């Protein structure tokens, strides 16, 4: 299976992805086979979003654990996709549905509604959302900006909580 | 300097105490030496012996009737137990009182030190160690609650998240420790390093297995004080917990091998041993799960016996321990998993107070027996008979234990790190290795050794003791500096915040999604599957339907945060004034309580405002009729409308009823609630009646209401005697309730529920219930004492003035004199005058049986 995938994937492309995402060669080929199995239309993209393999890998790269040798490699280079800030940015964009760089109450409500059970009434959910925003909101605009988001999650071990171990 | 003095003093105190206790104890020993001898072997046997002894004694010596008699033998056994418990706990008390000492030396080490001293005293008194930690006491009465507590308060998510690592350390690590130690010691003996010892390889294996396990009691005692990060903590702690079970199993298998003897052991027996190991370990765990489910199921239906539902947890936990022991499964694993399994469900099922009871009682038992264990570990050392010194054996054991612990940890971690998302760092590995403290379980097992089969039992026992002392005291003391020196990542103390909780949940969902997308079954995926399964089946089975509904993590945090806010809000609010405005929004919560609260607030307000005025006046108003305000209303209505019959009705029902109630209430607080229906009926009838008359009157009633309230308040305030104040309060609350509902149903006022809280409160300045002040009247300032307000109103408006005949409803002319009279010192006569008929009336009306208080309506 792996060999079939790697034949479809050009070697230089793998190198580029490797550079960009930090995945190893074997991981990339494995994920490519996964990608092709997800790709029902067999046109190199996923669903209506037109996610190609590069995008797919870029998204997954956010969840790669930070390795020790990466931490202090060279700070001048552009931040890897799995840095703390990028992980947080990814999480932030999950909320920020309209891409205005702010999490509004409605956006938060939508996410909350998806997560909590049906037993919580809309009012309760509303007050939960209000309170959540209050906790983060420092400038009083009733929404959470990315800076506020980073600040309020300062103590959370994002590096660990937003990482999974990818198989080789 | 000061510290040494204080510790010396405390030591002295303790010695005094203990020697006193021991003089009693040694008395007992002299009187009945049989009892204490048997004590170590079998408790029940000794008890039977002592009771039969004392029984025969009574029969023999009874010649005359003794008024009191000295019956030490009768109580000696439980008495000694209780005495020892109190002595141990007092040791802890003394230790914990000296924080500068516990900062350096861990509590467990200090307790062992105290044990040495106590043991020395006992030895000095008896010249033998009469008190020892028997393995029966330890395994049946001291250990279970500690393990149950650890299981019950185990952070489940963390535990199961690191379960792989914990199991590897606990099973493989322990086996490695045991085997390597046995091999090395055996090799050293063959090499002649320990002189002439009669220990075979199997016996070394037995010794290795008993001393291999890290002890949870000792580990928690030390690690709780150093606050390492949670992953490190759970690794050490989980390992110590599980490997206790493992080591007991291992010990039993080895013990069986020793009994069989070397010649009979073949491959089949070894395989059977390994199988038995797994059966015992997993069987015990499964049994624990079963009992955990049983507890959860049981707490589903203990609503009606809430007072003892907390007990079920303990007794079933203990039963799971004993059952496992009976089936020769691992009792420790059984009770651990029982606690882990049931914690979530029982915390949800049981009443909150029961949950708190369980939580605290668990801690009391666990901490208590932990203290006892450490003290007795110390005491047990002071016994000449067990000490067999063999330098080679002891030192080599210590050395190998340390070395192999480090080696085992490093090797296993190296393997583990290949599979872990977050690898265990080198420093953490050092701490894990160094945290391998041995403790009471090892000692308990060593005591269990059979002397007939193992010739060098005493050597093993004292080696075990030395290992325990070395690890607990030396490693315990150096652990903290080591943690600081190595700069181990400490546990972060973070406040609960909703957004973190939400975000964590988002992270969880995200990881599951990514694992799904990338097509691998990782542990997030498994956890998600488990959560779904639990939601669908387990919680349906184990949780009360009522609880199941509102069980959401985020909402729970939200609720908790709100509760916290409410608490601080109350604290803040009470500092600033009353919190009565809450009533604006929720009209039908328990009024009586709130009114009471409000009254106290209001009273203080008025007191502050008018204290100068009626300091003198109060003396004469000490015995006001509590029902005055009712009279006022009735009189007012009567005066206004001439609706005589309503007045009569009121007098017949409400008035008498209340008098009656007041009378009874003063005698017994709890007999009030007897016939609720009657209360309801009378209350509703009178209310309807009043409402009708009220409507027909079509008068603005606000001012008199205000006035009546004032009256009530200052009456209440004048009451120096708590009982009558109580009466008055309950009475008033009933009345006000009445008024309130009247106002509500009459639609006479618009209840300013929409007013901002602060505003209402300020405007009220003491009497701020908006329902009672429907149209805030700036002229009627609340700072004016009520009676002055009366006269004011009196002079300005005609109609309300009549109603405002607060205390003297009989003639308007009386009222004219009222205000000045009240303030004057000489007014006693004229003031008391109108009271006379009222009291008379009250006296007449005591007989009617009906009408318990309306007050209780809301209770």
């Amino acid at each position: 299976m792996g060999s079939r995938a790697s034949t479809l994937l050009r070697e230089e492309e793998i190198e580029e992805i490797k550079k960009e995402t930090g995945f190893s060669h074997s991981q990339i080929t494995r994920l490519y086979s996964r990608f092709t199995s997800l790709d029902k239309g067999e046109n190199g993209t996923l669903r209506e979003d037109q996610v190609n393999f590069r995008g797919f890998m870029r998204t997954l790269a956010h969840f790669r654990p930070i390795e020790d040798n990466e931490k202090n490699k060279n700070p001048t280079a552009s931040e890897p996709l799995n840095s703390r800030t990028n992980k947080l940015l990814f999480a932030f964009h999950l909320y920020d549905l309209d891409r205005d760089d702010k999490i509004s109450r409605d956006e938060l409500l939508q996410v909350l509604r998806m997560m909590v059970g049906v037993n919580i009434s809309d009012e309760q959910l509303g007050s939960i959302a209000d309170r959540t925003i209050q906790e983060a909101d420092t400038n009083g605009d009733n929404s959470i900006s990315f800076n506020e988001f980073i600040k309020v999650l300062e103590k959370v071990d994002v590096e660990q909580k937003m990482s999974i171990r990818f198989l080789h | 300097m000061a510290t040494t003095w204080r510790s010396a003093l405390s030591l002295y105190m303790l010695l005094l105490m203990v020697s006193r206790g021991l003089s009693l104890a040694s008395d007992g020993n002299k009187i009945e030496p049989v009892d204490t001898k048997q004590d170590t072997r079998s408790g029940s046997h000794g008890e039977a012996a002592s009771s039969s002894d004392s029984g025969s004694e009574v029969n023999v010596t009874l010649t005359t009737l003794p008024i009191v008699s000295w019956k030490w033998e009768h109580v000696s056994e439980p008495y000694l137990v209780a005495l020892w418990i109190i002595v141990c706990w007092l040791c802890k008390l003394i230790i914990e009182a000296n924080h500068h000492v516990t900062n350096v030396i861990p509590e467990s080490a200090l307790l062992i030190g105290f044990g040495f001293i106590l043991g020395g005293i006992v030895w000095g008194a008896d010249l033998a160690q009469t008190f020892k930690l028997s393995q029966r006491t330890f395994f049946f009465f001291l250990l279970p609650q500690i393990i149950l507590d650890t299981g019950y308060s185990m952070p489940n998510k963390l535990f199961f998240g690191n379960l792989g690592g914990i199991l590897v350390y606990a099973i493989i690590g322990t086996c490695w420790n045991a085997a390597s130690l046995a091999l090395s010691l055996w090799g050293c003996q063959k090499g002649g390093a320990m002189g002439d010892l009669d220990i075979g390889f199997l016996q070394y294996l037995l010794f290795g297995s008993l001393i291999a396990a890290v002890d949870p009691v000792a580990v928690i005692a030390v690690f709780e004080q150093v606050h390492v990060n949670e992953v490190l903590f759970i690794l050490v702690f989980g390992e110590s917990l599980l490997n206790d079970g493992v080591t007991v199993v291992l010990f039993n298998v080895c013990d069986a091998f020793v009994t069989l003897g070397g010649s009979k052991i073949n491959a089949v027996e070894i395989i059977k041993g390994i199988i038995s190991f797994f059966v015992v370990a997993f069987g015990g765990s499964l049994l624990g799960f079963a009992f955990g489910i049983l507890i959860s199921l049981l707490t589903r239906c203990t609503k009606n016996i809430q007072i003892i539902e907390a007990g079920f947890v303990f007794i079933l936990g203990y039963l799971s321990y004993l059952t496992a022991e009976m089936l020769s499964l691992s009792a420790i694993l059984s009770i651990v998993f029982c606690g882990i399994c049931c914690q979530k469900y029982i915390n949800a099922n049981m009443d909150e107070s029961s949950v708190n009871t369980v939580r605290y009682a668990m801690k009391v038992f666990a901490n208590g027996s932990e203290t006892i264990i450490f003290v007795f570990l110390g005491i047990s050392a002071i016994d000449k008979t067990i000490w067999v010194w063999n330098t080679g054996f002891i030192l080599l054991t210590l050395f190998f234990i340390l070395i192999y612990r480090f080696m085992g940890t490093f090797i296993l971690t190296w393997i583990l790190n290949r599979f872990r998302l977050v690898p265990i760092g080198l420093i953490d590995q050092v701490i894990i290795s160094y945290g391998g403290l041995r403790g009471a379980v090892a000692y308990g097992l060593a005591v269990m050794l059979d002397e007939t089969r193992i010739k060098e039992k005493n050597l093993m026992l004292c080696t075990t003791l030395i290992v325990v002392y070395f690890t607990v005291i030396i490693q315990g003391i150096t652990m903290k500096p080591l943690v600081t020196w190595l700069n181990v990542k400490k546990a972060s103390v973070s406040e609960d915040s909703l957004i973190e909780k939400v975000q964590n949940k988002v992270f969880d969902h995200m990881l599951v999604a990514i694992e799904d997308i990338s097509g691998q079954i990782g542990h997030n995926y498994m956890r998600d599957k488990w959560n779904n399964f639990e939601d669908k089946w387990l919680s349906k089975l184990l949780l009360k339907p009522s609880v199941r509904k509102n069980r959401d993590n985020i909402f729970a945090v939200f609720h908790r945060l709100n509760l916290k806010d409410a608490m601080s809000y109350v604290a803040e609010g009470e500092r600033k004034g009353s919190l009565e405005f809450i009533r604006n929004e929720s009209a039908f919560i328990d009024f009586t309580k709130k009114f009471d609260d409000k009254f106290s607030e209001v009273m203080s307000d008025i007191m502050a405002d008018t204290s100068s005025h009626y300091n003198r006046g109060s003396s004469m108003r000490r015995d006001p009729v509590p029902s005055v305000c009712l009279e006022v209303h009735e009189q007012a209505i009567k005066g206004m409308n001439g609706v005589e019959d309503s007045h009569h009705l009121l007098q017949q029902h409400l008035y008498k009823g209340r008098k009656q109630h007041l009378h009874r209430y003063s005698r017994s607080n709890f007999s009030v609630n007897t016939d609720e229906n009657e209360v309801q009926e009378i209350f509703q009838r009178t209310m309807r009646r009043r409402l009708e008359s009220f409507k027909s009157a079509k008068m603005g009633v606000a001012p008199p209401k205000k006035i009546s309230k004032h009256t009530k308040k200052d009456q209440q305030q004048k009451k120096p005697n708590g009982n009558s104040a109580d009466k008055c309060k309950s009475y008033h609350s009933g009345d006000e309730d009445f008024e309130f509902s009247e106002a509500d149903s009459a639609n006479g006022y618009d209840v300013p529920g929409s007013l901002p809280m602060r505003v209402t409160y300020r405007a009220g300045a003491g009497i701020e219930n908006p329902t009672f002040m429907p149209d805030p009247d700036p002229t009627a300032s609340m700072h004016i004492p009520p009676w002055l307000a009366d006269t004011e109103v009196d002079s300005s408006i005609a109609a309300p003035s009549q109603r405002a005949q607060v205390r003297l409803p009989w003639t308007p002319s009386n009222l004219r004199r009222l205000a000045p009279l009240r303030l004057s010192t000489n007014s006693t006569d004229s003031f008391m005058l109108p009271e006379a008929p009222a009291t008379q009336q009250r006296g007449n009306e005591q007989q009617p049986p009906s009408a318990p208080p309306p007050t209780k309506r809301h209770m």
Side-chain angles (χ1 to χ4, degrees):
Chain A
M1 192 170 81
S3 59
R4 190 185 67 92
S6 55
T7 50
L8 291 167
L9 207 59
R10 278 175 293 117
E11 209 49 49
E12 53 265 39
E13 208 172 348
I14 291 178
E15 278 308 310
E16 274 175 47
I17 291 172
K18 216 163 145 183
K19 220 171 173 184
E20 186 182 24
T21 62
F23 280 115
S24 71
H25 194 284
S26 61
Q27 279 170 333
I28 292 170
T29 47
R30 199 194 69 79
L31 286 169
Y32 187 72
S33 71
R34 174 70 186 165
F35 180 79
T36 45
S37 73
L38 288 173
D39 178 18
K40 294 281 189 315
E42 294 192 351
N43 50 6
T45 54
L46 292 183
R47 287 211 329 224
E48 65 272 20
D49 303 334
Q50 301 294 303
V51 182
N52 59 14
F53 185 60
R54 284 292 277 277
F56 180 75
M57 290 306 283
R58 219 175 286 131
T59 307
L60 290 186
H62 287 104
F63 293 90
R64 215 165 51 80
I66 302 172
E67 278 153 32
D68 281 337
N69 52 7
E70 278 177 308
K71 268 181 194 157
N72 38 16
K73 211 165 50 181
N74 48 341
T76 49
S78 65
E79 254 185 300
L81 283 168
N82 60 351
S83 73
R84 182 187 169 91
T85 320
N86 277 329
K87 277 177 195 285
L88 274 174
L89 194 62
F90 186 87
F92 184 79
H93 283 312
L94 273 190
Y95 294 99
D96 187 18
L97 300 169
D98 58 2
R99 301 272 157 157
D100 64 346
D101 289 330
K102 268 181 183 145
I103 302 172
S104 69
R105 185 176 183 273
D106 286 337
E107 288 164 348
L108 185 63
L109 258 181
Q110 285 187 41
V111 176
L112 281 174
R113 183 37 91 197
M114 283 187 266
M115 286 198 308
V116 302
V118 280
N119 296 315
I120 309 276
S121 73
D122 282 336
E123 290 106 67
Q124 282 171 327
L125 208 64
S127 32
I128 290 177
D130 282 338
R131 178 156 189 143
T132 312
I133 288 181
Q134 272 168 29
E135 277 176 354
D137 189 17
T138 45
N139 59 5
D141 62 350
N142 246 342
S143 54
I144 305 174
S145 68
F146 183 55
N147 282 334
E148 287 165 347
F149 189 72
I150 291 182
K151 197 147 192 290
V152 84
L153 294 179
E154 223 167 20
K155 284 186 194 144
V156 179
D157 195 359
V158 181
E159 293 93 333
Q160 199 175 320
K161 284 190 172 141
M162 241 182 96
S163 301
I164 60 173
R165 227 174 53 81
F166 285 96
L167 302 177
H168 293 284
Chain B
M1 270 310 270
T3 63
T4 50
W5 268 113
R6 203 193 293 178
S7 50
L9 194 73
S10 56
L11 268 179
Y12 176 72
M13 271 168 50
L14 187 85
L15 281 176
L16 210 71
M17 217 161 54
V18 169
S19 59
R20 205 172 287 170
L22 281 174
S23 66
L24 274 174
S26 51
D27 273 0
N29 296 337
K30 274 169 211 158
I31 293 168
E32 202 176 22
V34 188
D35 183 50
T36 41
K37 264 184 203 162
Q38 281 176 346
D39 196 80
T40 47
R41 253 189 279 157
S42 138
S44 60
H45 191 86
E47 203 174 351
S50 79
S51 64
S52 64
D53 270 14
S54 60
S56 61
E57 198 184 333
V58 168
N59 284 340
V60 170
T61 55
L62 194 66
T63 51
T64 174
L65 183 78
I67 295 170
V68 283
S69 55
W70 175 258
K71 287 197 201 167
W72 165 252
E73 307 79 50
H74 187 57
V75 295
S76 65
E77 198 168 323
Y79 202 94
L80 281 176
V81 169
L83 213 60
W84 272 113
I85 292 175
I86 193 86
V87 167
C88 295
W89 287 1
L90 284 173
C91 293
K92 191 180 172 94
L93 183 92
I94 292 164
I95 288 165
E96 285 302 317
N98 297 292
H99 271 298
H100 43 271
V101 182
T102 49
N103 276 342
V104 184
I105 307 169
E107 191 195 287
S108 42
L110 285 170
L111 281 171
I112 290 181
F114 269 101
F116 289 152
I117 297 164
L118 289 172
I121 295 167
V122 175
W123 183 265
D126 289 0
L127 288 178
Q129 194 49 268
T130 34
F131 302 97
K132 272 193 268 188
L133 192 58
S134 72
Q135 50 94 8
R136 182 187 150 86
T137 318
F138 175 71
F139 280 110
F140 282 169
F141 303 117
L142 293 175
L143 192 62
Q145 57 262 47
I146 297 178
I147 308 288
L148 181 64
D149 173 59
T150 51
Y152 175 72
S153 45
M154 176 74 75
N156 269 352
K157 195 179 169 189
L158 207 57
F159 178 75
F160 286 109
N162 294 291
L163 189 63
I166 291 170
L167 282 178
V168 167
Y169 284 131
I171 298 173
I172 303 178
T174 308
C175 293
W176 155 260
N177 280 349
S180 59
L181 179 72
L183 268 174
S184 311
L185 283 178
W186 186 62
C188 287
Q189 196 203 345
K190 290 280 162 206
M194 292 180 282
D196 190 24
L197 280 179
D198 185 15
I199 303 178
F201 177 69
L202 282 175
Q203 293 177 10
Y204 274 118
L205 211 56
L206 187 62
F207 176 67
S209 69
L210 77 86
I211 212 159
V214 175
D215 185 63
V217 186
V219 164
I220 299 163
V222 169
F223 272 72
E224 253 179 8
Q225 293 182 343
V226 289
H227 304 294
V228 294
N229 63 70
E230 51 183 16
V231 175
L232 181 54
F233 181 78
I234 201 74
L235 282 177
V236 178
F237 174 55
E239 181 208 347
S240 67
L241 203 55
L242 293 191
N243 74 7
D244 260 354
V246 172
T247 200
V248 174
V249 177
L250 210 58
F251 177 83
N252 286 335
V253 172
C254 290
D255 199 32
F257 280 161
V258 170
T259 319
L260 277 174
S263 56
K264 283 184 194 151
I265 296 173
N266 48 25
V268 179
E269 295 299 328
I270 290 173
I271 289 169
K272 266 163 88 179
I274 292 169
I275 290 173
S276 135
F277 175 86
F278 284 102
V279 168
V280 168
F282 286 100
S285 313
L286 277 179
L287 191 73
F289 274 119
F291 267 90
I293 287 169
L294 193 64
I295 296 176
S296 312
L297 278 175
L298 204 62
T299 49
R300 262 189 79 159
C301 41
T302 48
K303 203 176 143 228
N304 297 325
I305 46 163
Q306 228 171 56
I307 203 82
I308 57 163
E309 72 181 348
F312 283 116
V313 180
F314 295 98
I315 214 67
L316 275 175
Y318 193 48
L319 266 182
S320 83
Y321 186 88
L322 293 180
T323 312
E325 194 72 49
M326 182 178 74
L327 300 173
S328 76
L329 300 174
S330 170
I332 293 175
L333 288 177
S334 167
I335 200 167
V336 165
F337 281 103
C338 177
I340 288 178
C341 179
C342 73
Q343 53 162 276
K344 184 174 175 185
Y345 304 109
I346 60 173
N347 283 352
N349 273 344
M350 287 196 306
D351 188 62
E352 205 182 322
S353 52
S354 301
V355 174
N356 279 336
T357 311
V358 170
R359 210 168 273 161
Y360 283 101
M362 205 79 102
K363 289 285 173 226
V364 171
F365 287 137
N367 250 314
S369 51
E370 185 190 300
T371 310
I372 295 167
I373 287 173
F374 279 123
V375 171
F376 271 86
L377 271 182
I379 290 175
S380 307
I382 313 297
D383 187 359
K384 256 199 246 170
T385 56
I386 63 162
W387 284 107
V388 181
W389 192 265
N390 184 321
T391 320
F393 187 79
I394 291 169
L395 286 184
L396 279 172
T397 306
L398 263 180
F399 175 74
F400 285 135
I401 279 177
L402 257 178
I403 292 297
Y404 288 129
R405 170 81 185 166
F406 271 91
M407 276 173 66
T409 311
F410 282 122
I411 294 169
L412 291 177
T413 316
W414 180 76
I415 298 169
L416 273 177
N417 273 350
R418 302 170 62 103
F419 301 101
R420 279 181 69 88
L421 171 68
V422 187
I424 301 162
L426 188 69
I427 290 170
D428 285 5
Q429 293 176 38
V430 171
I431 296 296
I432 290 174
S433 314
Y434 201 68
L437 310 180
R438 271 45 168 200
V441 172
Y443 174 75
L445 291 175
V447 173
M448 265 166 85
L449 290 174
D450 189 354
E451 219 161 338
T452 53
R453 274 177 281 137
I454 297 149
K455 301 283 184 310
E456 305 287 349
K457 180 196 171 184
N458 278 342
L459 177 62
M460 288 186 181
L461 187 60
C462 76
T463 311
T464 310
L465 274 176
I466 285 180
V467 168
V468 170
Y469 297 148
F470 179 81
T471 53
V472 171
I473 298 177
I474 308 288
Q475 287 183 208
I477 291 172
T478 47
M479 179 60 90
K480 209 170 180 180
L482 189 71
V483 165
T484 334
W485 181 62
L486 287 175
N487 210 357
V488 176
K489 205 174 133 207
K490 298 272 183 86
S492 59
V493 252
S494 65
E495 262 178 59
D496 239 4
S497 86
L498 197 57
I499 191 159
E500 278 182 19
K501 204 78 196 173
V502 171
Q503 192 54 49
N504 282 344
K505 203 155 181 181
V506 170
F507 283 147
D508 284 349
H509 284 276
M510 230 192 278
L511 295 186
V512 175
I514 292 296
E515 282 198 352
D516 199 22
I517 288 172
S518 65
Q520 54 188 17
I521 298 170
H523 105 259
N524 292 299
Y525 180 82
M526 299 297 280
R527 193 181 56 218
D528 191 53
K529 279 277 168 285
W530 165 254
N531 282 343
N532 283 343
F533 167 76
E534 194 194 19
D535 266 0
K536 248 191 196 152
W537 301 103
L538 274 186
S539 53
K540 207 168 272 179
L541 182 71
L542 302 177
L543 285 182
K544 276 184 197 170
S546 57
V547 185
R548 214 182 308 139
K549 260 184 213 158
N550 40 23
R551 208 172 57 94
D552 188 272
N553 216 352
I554 292 177
F555 186 71
V557 176
F558 178 64
H559 181 68
R560 199 164 60 231
L561 286 170
N562 273 346
L563 267 184
K564 213 162 80 184
D565 281 359
M567 300 277 268
S568 57
Y569 188 60
V570 166
E572 180 71 7
E574 276 178 346
R575 214 181 317 128
K576 287 189 176 161
S578 110
L579 291 168
E580 47 68 47
F581 53 77
I582 289 168
R583 263 172 298 123
N584 282 355
E585 283 168 12
S586 48
F588 281 105
I589 17 175
D590 190 355
F591 270 93
T592 43
K593 252 187 200 157
K594 284 209 179 102
F595 279 145
D596 282 357
D597 287 346
K598 198 196 65 182
F599 269 127
S600 58
E601 298 285 346
V602 161
M603 264 158 42
S604 65
D605 276 1
I606 291 182
M607 186 63 102
D609 289 340
T610 59
S611 53
S612 58
H613 290 281
Y614 56 65
N615 270 346
R616 290 194 247 138
S618 61
S619 61
M620 62 184 96
R621 300 166 86 218
R622 201 154 281 173
D623 52 352
V625 187
S627 56
V628 156
C629 69
L630 186 73
E631 285 178 286
V632 172
H633 280 270
E634 285 161 17
Q635 288 299 320
I637 290 163
K638 183 185 163 198
M640 291 301 297
N641 319 312
V643 190
E644 292 282 341
D645 55 348
S646 78
H647 171 59
H648 281 310
L649 264 173
L650 278 170
Q651 266 207 331
Q652 269 169 4
H653 296 290
L654 188 61
Y655 196 37
K656 283 174 195 167
R658 284 183 182 189
K659 292 280 186 202
Q660 177 80 9
H661 152 58
L662 288 177
H663 189 69
R664 278 164 53 187
Y665 189 65
S666 63
R667 297 200 175 168
S668 62
N669 283 333
F670 295 104
S671 65
V672 180
N673 224 349
T674 45
D675 23 18
E676 195 94 25
N677 290 337
E678 209 173 2
V679 177
Q680 285 287 328
E681 198 222 280
I682 288 182
F683 186 81
Q684 279 162 8
R685 195 142 35 113
T686 43
M687 200 169 73
R688 208 181 310 123
R689 185 56 71 175
R690 276 196 70 173
L691 191 60
E692 277 162 22
S693 67
F694 196 72
K695 270 178 180 163
S696 64
K698 295 277 184 221
M699 285 295 299
V701 265
K705 275 191 194 295
K706 234 183 283 170
I707 286 157
S708 71
K709 214 158 141 52
H710 281 281
T711 326
K712 281 179 260 171
K713 270 164 216 148
D714 63 31
Q715 271 168 11
Q716 199 174 18
Q717 186 179 7
K718 298 284 158 55
K719 290 224 172 91
N721 128 6
N723 193 11
S724 62
D726 248 357
K727 272 197 251 174
C728 185
K729 248 188 212 170
S730 62
Y731 177 74
H732 283 319
S733 49
D735 190 34
E736 255 162 44
D737 198 46
F738 180 49
E739 280 190 354
F740 179 78
S741 23
E742 184 185 338
D744 228 24
S745 47
N747 280 330
Y749 328 112
D750 48 347
V751 183
S754 55
L755 272 180
M757 301 167 175
R758 286 289 160 201
V759 175
T760 346
Y761 173 62
R762 270 301 120 212
I767 308 161
E768 53 285 327
N769 184 357
T771 36
F772 291 97
M773 280 189 35
D775 22 1
D777 188 356
T779 59
S781 163
M782 299 311 148
H783 295 278
I784 298 169
W787 49 92
L788 291 184
D790 286 0
T791 51
E792 242 180 48
V793 173
D794 180 33
S795 59
S796 56
I797 319 164
S801 78
Q802 276 185 324
R803 295 176 167 201
Q805 302 165 0
V806 181
R807 311 197 121 260
L808 316 170
W810 316 108
T811 57
S813 58
N814 269 348
L815 180 69
R816 293 282 165 214
R817 286 191 290 144
L818 180 59
L821 275 179
R822 280 186 187 173
L823 289 174
S824 87
T825 34
N826 307 326
S827 62
T828 323
D829 287 349
S830 47
F831 181 71
M832 289 308 274
L833 196 68
E835 302 270 334
T839 43
Q840 220 175 7
Q841 201 177 7
R842 200 202 299 176
N844 294 338
E845 281 162 358
Q846 270 173 14
Q847 295 98 324
S850 69
T855 325
K856 290 290 160 187
R857 186 170 166 256
H858 286 282
M859 287 185 166

